[in-house]
Amino acid sequence: MEQLSTRQAALKPKDYKSDNKPVWCPGCGDFSVLSAFTKAMSAMTLDPERVAVISGIGCSSRIPAYLNVYGFHAVHGRALPVAIGLKITRPDLTVLVAGGDGDGFSIGGNHFLQACRRNVDITYVVMDNQVYGMTKGQASPTTAPDWMRSKLTPHGTRINPFYPLVIALASGANFIARASSNDPNGTARVIAEAVEHPGFSFVQVLSPCVTFRPEQRDWKKIVRPAPVAPTADPAVAARRLMTDDNFFIGTLFKGGRAPFESGFAPRAEVAGELERSFGLTA
Amino acid sequence: MTAGGILLEVAAQAGYHGIMTRSSGPQIRGGEAAAMLRISTFPVESHADVFDILVGVDWLNAERFRAEIPLGPDSLVVGDLDGRPPAEYLATGARLLALPLSRLAREREGGRENMVALGAISALAALPRGLFEGVLNALLGRKGSEAVVSGMACIEAGAQCVAGESGTFALAPPAPTRGAIWNISGNEAAGLGAIRGGVRFVAAYPITPATELLEWMAPALEQVGGVLVQAEDELASVNQLIGASFGGTPSLTATSGPGLALMTESIGLAVASETPVVVVDVMRGGPSTGIPTKSEQGDLNIALYGLHGDAPHLVLAPLSVADCLFTTQWAVHLAEKLQTAAIVLSDQSLGQTRALIERPAEVAFVSGRSIQRTPVAGYQRYALGGDGVSPMALPGTPGCQYTADGLEHAPSGTPSSRAEDHRRQLDKRRDKLTGHDYGDHWALIEGDGDVVVLTWGSSLAPVREARRSLAGRGIDVRIVAPRLLMPVQPARMREALSGASRVLVVEQSHGAQFLHYLQAFYPRERGYESLAQPGPLPIRPEQVVERFNPRGSR
């Protein structure tokens, strides 16, 4: 596809916003992530029409409609396959996937593992608030086992939480970072870095749900930059991720795997080319 | 299967028509298998009521195919006698002919029983033995010349062994001239139709009996710069299609019943977001894991009604092995043109049957998606009006950014739960399908008798065979077989059934799904008669003949 526009000047973050008003509760961490998306796009001087943001279902998955880029708000848990199909056939686009912890790690959990393995050059941003907000406060895969505030699991889930960064590393993600919605500028920098890194990039953003997890307002007191530089060594990254307390932020792993290459370059069928195998052998 | 493939190719080169269907036990890979061939002087698409020759290369578990391999008093059972041909076959009155397969194979270096069997059949049917060497070279040559030499020695030995019966089932000489002939399976034909229709992206998960369609497409797509991705499951497959199609690439997947069931939620997304995708369901026995290796027309209901909400989409069904090409290509064209999901209902019997067909004519149906190519102020992806098809902007087009959505939306694409937006978008998605002119391709109609057989998919072949047979007895049967199952075509069906005194509905479904569909969408004052049986037994021509010309009245 040919370049359709050449811009005179870089666009400002607000130029990447659409006119749609977010459905989020006041104080939701996702406002800040939306703002980080637009800052990152502006910093990278992306043409809005050459960006696609794909999502599934959940509060955070509403983000595409709030952006002035191409978007796809798909079904619950399937954002990654939609994005992978798009990126394989449209390598010219910058493809991001946005969603929450329930969408990405529960109903879409296997796609997360396989997307890490496949290493298609897309960026996956998960706004993790350890709760299903859209359905009013149920436990998600990242919820602590003893969280008893959900009517669905009044005694807590009593099952082990999911550690997305560790799983991402073990499954082959090529870039792993954690960010905090309390720091939109830092989040924007990490998203831009993730987009620019080849292969499958995974960014977990700690994004509080002030309605169903009001105690998460205190996250801003706990999060702090990881006191280490990003590593390209999976063994070092594994040690780091297995021992951190899930509140260190920053880029933690930048791998060197080559991204998935499909060789997609469609052309018209040459008449008769494919028919040969059906002709008789004589 | 190898011997069957060789026999079919030899028959083709000798100028005959033919088909080869296959059946195998539940284990898919290895275990008992039956290759069933019919070789004929005229084009054939189904088996006849009885088989002439049954050759047992290995009798272990062969009785499991008894119901699928009908024999009669004129049939011949050939094979090792010490290996004990199952009594079930001999109970039909079929004659037994000893053929010491194992010994003859053992006596020849590298010899194999199936090649000895092939030789016996070639003698019984009086097929020109001179053609075998070339075919063996072409099909077995990559195993080395020894395979060809020992194969030929075994064929010769098999032929000598049954020399006393040579020509018992000799075929009449073939018709002298024909156009180019293809040796093709329904799965391959569907794959070619997809590529001709413009498909360049396939994402799929392996499943019997659709896998060969995908295995044919993987290298074929490479030849046209396309890609096949083996996805982690059917949920991923169909969603990858939606992503690729959103980006502008015509996309298709192939699966079978269990996979279709997993895909239905996202097929609804394709409908709601108006993103073209094509899903080929190569049906097998159901429900659940069912009978993966054998055919049944039991997925009609899920294809028609399996999506939640009111989700109008296309359902098409190829009518023969050759028609798998046309119908799949047409499905791609329609899905693209109407920006919706299409489900193509093939089945194991069409997909895994190899047939000798005349090279199908090329048709002009290629993806003709309506695309918004230039910036437009206030672009509305789901704009109302016209024929309901609204131009789709592809990512990369400046000024037309929108978000495709499975949430109900306003014409702009913005989510909306307002009653009027829901009503208008439902109308739009329905009207663009019902308003389209599908032309004469909607159904195959043969004959104009006042007794009618209404059938679909792979059940058409035995119905056609029955029609030929009834014509010989002075009974003219009209056949109506819709290729387009959804949206329904009431006016066309009314015309197709006009003047019918009786309408018999023939299908391979235990629940008579096709009958109930006809009763719902094409109600008929005088009602329908039903011939419905579950798979894996195919409808036999005689079962249809019997309905119009009962034995007693002959």
Side-chain angles (χ1 to χ4, degrees), chain A residues 48-254:
Chain A
E49 72 272 13
R50 308 191 72 77
V51 178
V53 177
I54 314 297
S55 69
I57 296 296
C59 296
S60 53
S61 293
R62 301 296 285 257
I63 222 169
Y66 308 144
L67 292 164
N68 180 31
V69 301
Y70 281 92
F72 207 123
H73 185 209
V75 299
H76 198 22
R78 316 294 164 218
L80 283 169
V82 173
I84 287 170
L86 177 61
K87 181 67 185 183
I88 287 177
T89 51
R90 289 293 305 275
D92 57 308
L93 301 175
T94 298
V95 178
L96 294 104
V97 184
D101 37 300
D103 187 69
F105 308 142
S106 191
I107 189 169
N110 188 34
H111 303 309
F112 178 53
L113 304 186
Q114 308 301 330
C116 292
R117 286 181 60 212
R118 200 176 292 281
N119 203 28
V120 172
D121 187 16
I122 59 177
T123 296
Y124 185 29
V125 179
V126 173
M127 287 154 258
D128 192 344
N129 55 13
Q130 304 175 353
V131 75
Y132 286 85
M134 190 70 96
T135 49
K136 300 193 175 177
Q138 294 79 31
S140 89
T142 48
T143 304
D146 58 353
W147 182 70
M148 290 188 266
R149 302 276 300 279
S150 165
K151 288 180 192 163
L152 211 54
T153 50
H155 309 295
T157 65
R158 297 183 286 185
I159 57 172
N160 199 46
F162 185 90
Y163 294 98
L165 278 63
V166 177
I167 304 277
L169 180 72
S171 309
N174 213 28
F175 177 102
I176 297 170
R178 187 184 288 122
S180 162
S181 66
N182 293 116
D183 175 16
N185 290 329
T187 303
R189 277 195 300 276
V190 166
I191 291 175
E193 198 185 352
V195 167
E196 280 162 1
H197 193 76
F200 184 76
S201 299
F202 173 56
V203 181
Q204 178 197 37
V205 186
L206 301 173
S207 179
C209 174
V210 295
T211 302
F212 298 104
R213 302 296 307 263
E215 71 278 14
Q216 291 175 346
R217 289 181 191 272
D218 290 342
W219 279 358
K220 62 174 173 288
K221 300 177 195 157
I222 315 172
V223 293
R224 66 249 183 239
V228 288
T231 176
D233 182 347
V236 173
R239 217 161 24 247
R240 188 178 284 175
L241 295 175
M242 289 298 286
T243 54
D244 91 350
D245 65 352
N246 302 308
F247 288 102
F248 283 112
I249 58 174
T251 300
L252 301 164
F253 174 71
K254 288 176 94 164

Side-chain angles (χ1 to χ4, degrees), chain B residues 28 144 199 277 284 302 319 334 436 438 442 465 476 554:
Chain B
I28 299 173
V199 168
V277 296
R284 65 193 213 182
I302 188 178
L319 296 168
L334 290 175
H436 183 73
Y438 297 89
W442 82 279
E465 187 87 20
D476 186 11
R554 242 171 253 170

Side-chain angles (χ1 to χ4, degrees), chain B residues 61-85:
Chain B
N61 296 332
E63 70 280 1
R64 293 181 183 168
F65 298 113
R66 170 64 194 99
E68 293 163 67
I69 305 177
L71 301 176
D74 297 329
S75 307
L76 197 59
V77 175
V78 184
D80 268 319
L81 290 193
D82 50 354
R84 298 255 172 267

Side-chain angles (χ1 to χ4, degrees), chain B residues 287-362:
Chain B
S288 189
T289 314
I291 311 181
T293 50
K294 299 183 181 184
S295 208
E296 192 165 64
Q297 294 182 302
D299 293 350
L300 179 63
N301 281 354
I302 188 178
L304 293 171
Y305 318 118
L307 310 186
H308 62 280
D310 283 302
H313 60 286
L314 300 159
V315 180
L316 299 95
L319 296 168
S320 67
V321 170
D323 194 48
C324 286
L325 196 165
F326 174 82
T327 297
T328 308
Q329 184 173 351
W330 192 36
V332 174
H333 167 76
L334 290 175
E336 289 284 322
K337 185 158 182 79
L338 301 173
Q339 297 182 14
T340 192
I343 299 173
V344 178
L345 290 175
S346 174
D347 61 25
Q348 184 272 339
S349 136
L350 293 171
Q352 294 192 328
T353 291
R354 297 205 75 80
L356 304 176
I357 60 167
E358 292 194 18
R359 181 185 175 280
E362 283 184 43

Side-chain angles (χ1 to χ4, degrees), chain A residues 4 49 70 73 90 265 275 281, chain B residues 9 13 196 359 395-397:
Chain A
L4 290 164
E49 72 272 13
Y70 281 92
H73 185 209
R90 289 293 305 275
E275 295 181 6
T281 55
Chain B
E9 182 74 14
Q13 293 192 13
R196 288 217 174 138
R359 181 185 175 280
T397 313

Side-chain angles (χ1 to χ4, degrees), chain A residues 4 20 48-49 64 68 70-73 78 81-82 85 90 111 114 118 264-265 267 273 275 278 280-282, chain B residues 9 13 182-183 188 196 200 223-225 230 232 239-240 243 247 359 395-397 401-406 414:
Chain A
L4 290 164
N20 294 326
E49 72 272 13
N68 180 31
Y70 281 92
F72 207 123
H73 185 209
R78 316 294 164 218
V82 173
R90 289 293 305 275
H111 303 309
Q114 308 301 330
R118 200 176 292 281
F264 187 78
R267 50 185 182 272
E273 197 178 17
E275 295 181 6
F278 304 127
L280 301 184
T281 55
Chain B
E9 182 74 14
Q13 293 192 13
W182 282 5
N183 180 340
E188 292 168 348
R196 288 217 174 138
R200 293 295 179 270
Q223 284 191 54
V224 291
Q230 180 181 331
E232 56 267 31
N239 281 288
Q240 285 194 19
R359 181 185 175 280
T397 313
Q401 292 94 308
Y402 75 100
T403 291
D405 211 318
T414 306

